[in-house]
Amino acid sequence: MDPVNLTYYAVVCGGLAAYSPSLSSRIVRLAMGFGVGALSATLLPAVHFLLGF
């Protein structure tokens, strides 16, 4: 996995999650966003393979 893609998804999702009102604090939202972004970037190649791209 390319670290640039992993970092990109983590930063984008973390930035979006930082402004989400559903979780308690901004730090928790930021950490959850980084986690979701990293997970999505990690799974993206497998999804591309399964879809035949």
Side-chain angles (χ1 to χ4, degrees):
M1 169 64 24
D2 183 18
V4 174
N5 287 339
L6 183 63
T7 304
Y8 172 76
Y9 283 112
V11 168
V12 169
C13 290
L16 292 173
Y19 294 100
S20 173
S22 64
L23 296 174
S24 59
S25 72
R26 183 170 291 212
I27 298 299
V28 173
R29 292 189 304 253
L30 191 62
M32 292 296 290
F34 282 148
V36 169
L39 179 65
S40 65
T42 303
L43 294 177
L44 187 61
V47 172
H48 278 244
F49 175 75
L50 291 173
L51 293 175
F53 291 121

